[in-house]
Amino acid sequence: AQRVTQPEKLLSVFKGAPVELKCNYSYSGSPELFWYVQYSRQRLQLLLRHISRESIKGFTADLNKGETSFHLKKPFAQEEDSAMYYCALSPEGYGGSQGNLIFGKGTKLSVKP
Amino acid sequence: KAGVTQTPRYLIKTRGQQVTLSCSPISGHRSVSWYQQTPGQGLQFLFEYFSETQRNKGNFPGRFSGRQFSNSRSEMNVSTLELGDSALYLCASNTGVEQFFGPGTRLTVL
């Protein structure tokens, strides 16, 4: 079964420390993976897609097919990074509809001053 | 462009009633998705519509239904409400690359 697992419900780091939000997936084929973020009192929004290989707000995520992981990383956390982060997978893979995402349960990142 | 709008924002119903939620996507977007968000199950996909046709459906009972109109606006309906249907219902407007989410409708079933 296709599944996304985020093992940490809460991750707390100090400002300036590195942060890694873990995401593991279960999927056969070429997955299309995303990170979505929800800041306090804001809507859920796309942070980055693995296919674009971008760095957004200093965050990067590398797809590791061998470990079936798509961890989100940032070398130096900022207080404004505090938010809820969701890893998501498109069950139709690359090129298919992206409108039926499978989400992990999310990790709440708290960056302390 | 205006963002995704959902109405109503809050709703209280009793068991056995039915409810209709509405979503207006971003202008020009033809695909709309619906998700249910609960503390226990997280975000779960309900259905996706594209050009008035249901393109995908999640694993929810038949009490959950939806439709899309020619102007891309979408509605979802839940009949015979159960306590477990209490949730935040999110609508997303899709480009094929990114989903833009609405603020959600908070449904409480008493």
Side-chain angles (χ1 to χ4, degrees), chain B residues 39-98:
Chain B
Q41 299 301 317
L43 278 155
Q44 292 186 282
F45 170 72
L46 280 157
F47 18 69
E48 178 195 4
Y49 287 88
F50 179 80
S51 293
E52 302 179 66
T53 301
Q54 188 178 85
R55 184 153 67 177
N56 284 295
K57 188 177 189 306
N59 189 25
F60 278 81
R63 300 184 297 106
F64 291 81
S65 63
R67 59 178 175 168
Q68 187 180 31
F69 301 95
S70 58
N71 62 358
S72 293
R73 190 177 70 85
S74 177
E75 288 182 348
M76 66 162 281
N77 184 278
V78 188
S79 62
T80 320
L81 283 165
E82 300 177 0
L83 294 178
D85 297 333
S86 293
L88 182 67
Y89 289 87
L90 290 171
C91 168
S93 178
N94 308 320
T95 65
V97 172
E98 179 175 353

Side-chain angles (χ1 to χ4, degrees), chain B residues 33-44:
Chain B
S33 300
W34 288 89
Y35 293 85
Q36 182 195 64
Q37 186 175 29
T38 60
Q41 299 301 317
L43 278 155
Q44 292 186 282

Side-chain angles (χ1 to χ4, degrees), chain A residues 10-11 18 26-27 42 49 68 70 73 76 80:
Chain A
L10 174 65
L11 184 62
S26 172
Y27 183 83
Q42 293 188 28
R49 316 168 60 194
T68 59
F70 186 55
K73 300 177 185 179
F76 307 103
E80 55 266 30

Side-chain angles (χ1 to χ4, degrees), chain B residues 13-25:
Chain B
K13 293 284 187 179
T14 56
R15 278 181 299 173
Q17 287 187 308
Q18 75 164 19
V19 67
T20 299
L21 312 181
S22 182
C23 170
S24 292

